Amino acid sequence: MNKLHHTTQEGWAVHVYDCDRRLLCTLEPSHGWMFMAGLALGLTLGIIGYNLPHGPAMAPPQDHNPDIVAPLQID
């Protein structure tokens, strides 16, 4: 078997440095996947929230019973 032809699964990372060559942050593949998952979840929640009824139509119906008197009713 030819040992020269092999495949390796190497990961990647992006390192961000400042002007003094100090490491500021590192981005790895899992960060990208979590970012995409967060975008998808946020978009889904935004669409659901936008389509929910809002305004006066959401207020519960008010039953007016003339037999119930307000506790601080002023005549």
Side-chain angles (χ1 to χ4, degrees), residues 20-44:
D20 294 329
R21 300 220 14 104
R22 283 184 291 187
L23 182 64
L24 294 176
C25 67
T26 300
L27 301 174
E28 295 179 352
S30 62
H31 297 131
W33 285 113
M34 287 296 111
F35 179 73
M36 295 301 283
L39 282 178
L41 181 63
L43 181 64
T44 303

Side-chain angles (χ1 to χ4, degrees), residues 15-69:
H15 301 285
V16 180
Y17 295 92
D18 66 359
C19 61
D20 294 329
R21 300 220 14 104
R22 283 184 291 187
L23 182 64
L24 294 176
C25 67
T26 300
L27 301 174
E28 295 179 352
S30 62
H31 297 131
W33 285 113
M34 287 296 111
F35 179 73
M36 295 301 283
L39 282 178
L41 181 63
L43 181 64
T44 303
L45 289 176
I47 290 171
I48 291 171
Y50 182 77
N51 289 320
L52 286 175
H54 52 282
M58 274 185 60
Q62 304 244 341
D63 294 331
H64 294 288
N65 188 346
D67 297 333
I68 299 176
V69 179

